[in-house]
Amino acid sequence: MELSVLDYSLIIGFFAIVLGIGIYVSKTSGKNTSEYFLSGRNMPWWILGVSMVATTFSTDTPNFVTDIVRKDGVSSNWMWWAFLITGLLTVFVYAKLWRKSNVATDIEFYELRYGGKPAKFLRWFRAVYLGVIFNIFAMAGVTLAAIKIGGIMLGLEPVETILYAGTITVIFSAIGGFKGVVYTDFLLFFVAMAGAIGAAYYCVNLEEVGGIQNLITHENVADKINIFPDFNNKEILITLIIIPLAVQWWSSWFPGAEPGGGGYIAQRMLAAKDENHAIGATFFFNIMHYALRPWPWILVALASLVVFPDVASIQEAFPNIPADKLGHDLAYSAMLTKLPSGLLGLVLASLVAAYMSTISTHLNWGSSYIVNDFYKTTINKNASEKELVNVGRISTVVLMVLSAFFALFLQNASQLFDIIIMFGAGTGLIFILRWFWWRINAWSEISAMVASGVISFLFKLTFVGKILFTYKDVDGTTIEGLMPSYAQFPLVVLITTIIWVSVTYLTQPETKETLFNFYRKIQPGGPGWQKTLDEAAEDNIEIVTDRQPWNVPSGILAMLVAMIFIYSIMFATGYWIYGDYSYAIPLTIVVITSGLILIQLWKKIKATVF
């Protein structure tokens, strides 16, 4: 594949603009840690919402979607579509609470909610655990996708891709800080969307594919287009619908979809002008992330089944790809090589945009943990703002190097998805309840984190899986084997939950002073704090400053209506694309109806909250 002068001009021009923005904002970003990590807490909802979408528009996501669609069809996306419930709970319940907390990072929250040495330990340990270890995992997946794109589309060796893409990204991230990330995200979003939509339209209309109707009736594709899985297949039903919708969304920690909010989503809520802007940003993100963005990737994945029906055909077309990097996820990049000059340059620029947006966010977010929650609390408590910004810049470089090195040993993004989901299993309920139940303490979180990690690791060992899992085959024979992931996940959740709930009741609750201070600042409300309110009244201490009614029930109602609204947009879009009007028209009516109801609920929530 050869790039034209126009293609190179688009890519080089994009790089120049991004670096220019980074240099332009570097002076103000380096003033202090508040500017470097939160842009002075004065960002409007629309730019933060676009930034959230751009951040999750990473290079590994279209590869991941292509991988699962080619293997198991469109319905396999339910493994991440279920996280919409988590996202909307954050929108209507937790966004305002995060903005009220006024912490610098979501990890700093631990010393607001809990007290004493356990809280200090939890803060610095989680900073390293999430900001370094899991952050490196996430960035490695994104970098792996960049390696595959570079290999397929540009013929680059893995190390070359890392050097070119990683160097520019880390320079931009180190000098521009959070403000540079958010400002460029606004540009990256539109470039990435234009590239994804343009690529989908062209790929579907390739001569080999023959348009949308020929595509969805093709023998390689016809059994892959269903939005819902086959309900007669018990294993698929459990894996894709029951577990994600009944268990996964509330029980597991996952970057960008943390129960109760967290990570880089929390970072953007904390950077918002006020609570209203925090809610607006997260709601816009969830609409774009789930309702509209997946379809261009899905269409390219389906078209790839016609052009490259199996991995062998990809290998034949691109013999220079190393054997350890071969997989169905390569099909997305392989399809992009079919694009004409101009569109090819735009799509490559969009993929660069997706890579830079995601990696720069993870670098800034991870270094914020290292600086604010580890270095400042355990290494040098008296560090100057200048020193802290410099540590942030150094840690940005170190995180980039480590994640790039790890990426060289990965084969596909779904490996990391499974690891992260399993190692966070059972912890999510704490992140939801800790705002509304006084009894949860630091030991609850410590025990859940340890239990989830240890149990997940044990279940991955073959001999443990064989001991714990036996089943009967169709012919009635008893088989011992490694427990399948759909059975492992809920079991890890159950055991972890039993452990942390037991630890919660076996350990001392947080002190009254800690609970009083938290309630006074956040005003969470609800029956879970009644004991604390009664104790404050007995001690003649005023901790209630907001006399408005508890708005969480209204928030949950709005969440349910918003679920119908966004899922209906998603499904209606798919059926309009398929040309199936018998479903598309009724779903569009549901979209309009639920949207009108949501507007009324939104007004009620705003009137109650603000």
Side-chain angles (χ1 to χ4, degrees), residues 356-586:
M356 291 186 68
S357 174
T358 304
I359 291 294
S360 59
T361 288
H362 276 272
L363 290 173
N364 187 267
W365 164 57
S367 62
S368 74
Y369 283 3
I370 294 169
V371 169
N372 192 68
D373 304 301
F374 180 71
Y375 187 87
K376 189 177 177 180
T377 59
T378 61
I379 305 298
N380 187 359
K381 296 180 180 179
N382 299 314
S384 65
E385 287 295 315
K386 183 178 180 181
E387 179 183 346
L388 293 174
V389 170
N390 287 334
V391 171
R393 286 173 169 158
I394 293 169
S395 61
T396 295
V397 176
V398 172
L399 288 171
M400 184 72 240
V401 171
L402 292 175
S403 63
F405 181 76
F406 183 46
L408 295 173
F409 296 93
L410 292 174
Q411 185 170 4
N412 62 66
S414 60
Q415 290 173 299
L416 289 176
F417 182 88
D418 293 339
I419 291 171
I420 293 173
I421 282 288
M422 285 297 293
F423 273 76
T427 61
L429 190 59
I430 290 181
F431 305 143
I432 291 175
L433 294 179
R434 64 188 181 183
W435 296 87
F436 297 109
W437 186 26
W438 71 275
R439 190 61 181 82
I440 288 180
N441 59 32
W443 291 110
S444 307
E445 294 214 28
I446 292 170
S447 61
M449 181 175 59
V450 173
S452 177
V454 171
I455 296 166
S456 298
F457 176 74
L458 290 175
F459 276 19
K460 291 298 180 184
L461 298 179
T462 305
F463 73 91
V464 175
K466 285 184 177 179
I467 293 171
L468 293 177
F469 186 72
T470 59
Y471 62 98
K472 289 190 180 296
D473 201 358
V474 287
D475 59 1
T477 1
T478 300
I479 297 176
E480 289 188 351
L482 185 62
M483 185 181 297
S485 57
Y486 73 83
Q488 289 179 22
F489 181 81
L491 195 53
V492 173
V493 170
L494 177 62
I495 296 172
T496 301
T497 303
I498 290 172
I499 289 173
W500 75 253
V501 170
S502 301
V503 168
T504 299
Y505 282 106
L506 291 172
T507 53
Q508 290 295 316
E510 299 297 335
T511 64
K512 287 197 293 185
E513 181 184 6
T514 299
L515 296 174
F516 289 171
N517 288 337
F518 177 78
Y519 195 97
R520 188 181 293 112
K521 186 176 184 67
I522 304 299
Q523 299 294 295
W529 286 98
Q530 192 57 52
K531 186 175 186 300
T532 301
L533 293 173
D534 292 342
E535 289 177 344
E538 289 174 8
D539 296 347
N540 201 27
I541 297 175
E542 183 61 56
I543 62 172
V544 179
T545 59
D546 185 355
R547 301 293 177 181
Q548 294 178 342
W550 193 43
N551 74 301
V552 169
S554 299
I556 292 175
L557 178 60
M559 179 194 80
L560 296 173
V561 175
M563 279 174 53
I564 296 171
F565 175 68
I566 293 177
Y567 277 135
S568 296
I569 295 176
M570 182 197 299
F571 303 151
T573 302
Y575 286 120
W576 281 114
I577 291 171
Y578 292 165
D580 190 342
Y581 305 127
S582 62
Y583 284 107
I585 293 172

Side-chain angles (χ1 to χ4, degrees), residues 110-364:
Y110 288 122
E111 289 197 80
L112 172 66
R113 176 62 177 83
Y114 312 124
K117 291 181 178 179
K120 292 182 185 298
F121 165 78
L122 189 57
R123 180 178 176 183
W124 75 256
F125 183 81
R126 288 285 284 186
V128 175
Y129 184 70
L130 297 181
V132 178
I133 299 172
F134 271 77
N135 197 23
I136 287 172
F137 284 178
M139 288 192 293
V142 178
T143 302
L144 173 66
I147 289 171
K148 294 191 175 190
I149 291 168
I152 288 283
M153 302 189 72
L154 301 173
L156 297 175
E157 293 296 324
V159 174
E160 290 180 303
T161 301
I162 288 172
L163 285 175
Y164 298 148
T167 301
I168 294 173
T169 304
V170 79
I171 291 172
F172 158 74
S173 303
I175 64 175
F178 182 74
K179 185 176 289 185
V181 171
V182 172
Y183 283 2
T184 53
D185 275 349
F186 193 74
L187 167 67
L188 303 179
F189 168 75
F190 292 103
V191 173
M193 282 300 297
I197 293 171
Y201 179 81
Y202 190 85
C203 288
V204 167
N205 289 286
L206 284 170
E207 186 177 348
E208 305 100 296
V209 179
I212 189 67
Q213 289 306 316
N214 286 335
L215 172 65
I216 63 177
T217 55
H218 192 278
E219 60 181 356
N220 294 350
V221 177
D223 63 342
K224 304 282 188 182
I225 66 172
N226 291 330
I227 294 174
F228 290 93
D230 180 6
F231 289 165
N232 294 319
N233 187 319
K234 182 180 177 183
E235 180 175 336
I236 291 177
L237 181 64
I238 292 172
T239 305
L240 293 181
I241 297 292
I242 295 177
I243 290 178
L245 292 179
V247 182
Q248 181 178 294
W249 72 268
W250 58 263
S251 65
S252 186
W253 180 94
F254 190 79
E258 299 89 343
Y264 52 77
I265 299 298
Q267 184 185 30
R268 280 151 178 76
M269 291 188 284
L270 293 168
K273 285 183 177 181
D274 53 37
E275 299 160 37
N276 195 9
H277 283 269
I279 293 174
T282 48
F283 188 50
F284 176 82
F285 160 66
N286 279 279
I287 293 174
M288 294 301 300
H289 181 59
Y290 293 99
L292 300 176
R293 195 173 59 183
W295 282 106
W297 301 331
I298 290 170
L299 290 173
V300 174
L302 293 174
S304 74
L305 286 166
V306 178
V307 182
F308 302 103
D310 51 33
V311 175
S313 60
I314 299 174
Q315 185 178 25
E316 183 181 351
F318 303 94
N320 62 313
I321 298 299
D324 66 337
K325 295 294 185 282
L326 280 170
H328 284 286
D329 55 340
L330 281 173
Y332 188 82
S333 305
M335 290 297 291
L336 299 185
T337 63
K338 305 285 186 179
L339 302 181
S341 176
L343 180 56
L344 177 60
L346 175 64
V347 169
L348 274 172
S350 75
L351 293 172
V352 172
Y355 175 80
M356 291 186 68
S357 174
T358 304
I359 291 294
S360 59
T361 288
H362 276 272
L363 290 173
N364 187 267

